[in-house]
Amino acid sequence: MSPAIALAFLPLVVTLLVRYRHYFRLLVRTVLLRSLRDCLSGLRTEERAFSYVLTHALPGDPSHILTTLDHWSSHCEYLSHMGPVKGQILMRLVEEKTPACVLELGTYCGYSTLLIARALPPGGRLLTVERDPRTAAVAEKLIRLAGFDEHTVELIVGSSEEVIPRLRTQHQLSRADLVLLAHRPRCYLRDLQMLEAHALLPAGATVLADHVLFPGAPRFLQYTKSCGRYRCRLHHTGLPDFPTIKDGIAQLTYAGPG
């Protein structure tokens, strides 16, 4: 390419970089820098975050552990976790709904798991599912460090597609009063329909779905709005540390099979 052609495209490149600078920063932090640090340390960012928690957080104090993870994500390495703004929405809904049993699909590092566990009513139970064994090992240690035992929080390692059909028989889950979808947005619709097919959603159940705007779950949103079995509300938020990147949590209320 000649210098003249390159110079002709320069204003366009500069305009795109300025307009999408927040997405560019997110790409750098979540892909480029993370991959470099993973390669140099031999550890994943979630494992490095847990090491930080061990040396900076108070064992048995979920609130302090969550604050420590937020600090790590803001000042050390971006963690791609739920964050405090969405976390307040989640905790408020758990406290309002007082669910006897909660199902979380997508434990990741255990951040949202701790939020739910903190807000559970007495005797409440949380089943959380994580497909990646290495990430699940970090989450397990974090959950136990926060003081929650296996009677309160049970972590299941496996893909949601494999786990959902055996929740009733192997994990004694007859109904989920509240469900958090926080794994892969492209799997939300499939997994919601599986929960319906296995009769795990009672009438009045609440389903929360994270990241429905970024990266987005359009087919999931279209289904829940058009099938007639859900009342839908969208909580508009931004990404943690990137508030200008718009995202949202969908709150669904299941009316029953109809």
Side-chain angles (χ1 to χ4, degrees):
M1 180 183 294
S2 70
I5 295 177
L7 286 173
F9 278 99
L10 184 59
L12 175 61
V13 172
V14 171
T15 300
L16 291 175
L17 286 176
V18 171
R19 178 175 296 180
Y20 298 105
R21 63 190 182 277
H22 303 294
Y23 296 91
F24 180 72
R25 286 181 55 234
L26 180 64
L27 174 67
V28 169
R29 292 188 67 182
T30 58
V31 179
L32 302 181
L33 290 178
R34 180 177 295 182
S35 298
L36 178 61
R37 287 166 174 152
D38 288 356
C39 182
L40 292 176
S41 68
L43 299 172
R44 293 183 180 179
T45 184
E46 301 84 21
E47 294 167 329
R48 296 191 294 273
F50 181 71
S51 296
Y52 183 83
V53 167
L54 280 178
T55 56
H56 291 81
L58 298 174
D61 187 338
S63 179
H64 196 255
I65 290 173
L66 290 166
T67 301
T68 304
L69 285 172
D70 288 330
H71 185 273
W72 164 268
S73 184
S74 297
H75 297 88
C76 302
E77 299 179 40
Y78 189 67
L79 198 54
S80 303
H81 65 319
M82 177 172 277
V85 175
K86 291 181 180 180
Q88 287 299 315
I89 297 171
L90 174 61
M91 281 192 60
R92 185 183 74 247
L93 288 171
V94 175
E95 290 169 350
E96 287 178 0
K97 305 299 182 182
T98 61
C101 192
V102 178
L103 174 65
E104 178 186 34
L105 301 181
T107 315
Y108 186 48
C109 66
Y111 184 94
S112 54
T113 311
L114 295 191
L115 288 168
I116 296 169
R118 282 180 64 196
L120 282 175
R125 181 183 178 215
L126 166 60
L127 277 73
T128 181
V129 181
E130 172 56 46
R131 66 177 295 133
D132 185 274
R134 194 166 167 181
T135 305
V138 173
E140 180 85 40
K141 290 185 286 189
L142 192 78
I143 293 164
R144 306 311 167 209
L145 182 70
F148 298 108
D149 60 26
E150 294 180 356
H151 296 290
T152 302
V153 180
E154 179 182 352
L155 195 155
I156 305 166
V157 181
S159 70
S160 54
E161 185 178 18
E162 297 171 345
V163 171
I164 290 173
R166 62 174 192 259
L167 283 172
R168 190 183 302 274
T169 57
Q170 294 188 18
H171 301 281
Q172 293 73 55
L173 177 67
S174 59
R175 52 184 280 167
D177 304 302
L178 188 146
V179 177
L180 173 63
L181 305 176
H183 49 324
R184 299 183 178 185
R186 67 175 181 268
C187 299
Y188 286 1
L189 177 55
R190 179 201 69 194
D191 290 348
L192 181 68
Q193 291 174 332
M194 289 182 68
L195 291 170
E196 293 174 352
H198 288 84
L200 292 170
L201 293 178
T206 299
V207 178
L208 302 175
D210 196 7
H211 296 304
V212 293
L213 298 184
F214 184 86
R219 292 177 60 246
F220 169 82
L221 290 177
Q222 181 181 16
Y223 171 79
T224 56
K225 291 177 180 178
S226 63
C227 72
R229 292 190 291 275
Y230 295 93
R231 295 197 310 274
C232 304
R233 177 185 177 186
L234 186 61
H235 299 272
H236 291 273
T237 68
L239 291 185
D241 302 322
F242 295 91
T244 56
I245 299 179
K246 300 306 179 184
D247 194 13
I249 297 179
Q251 177 186 344
L252 314 174
T253 302
Y254 184 56

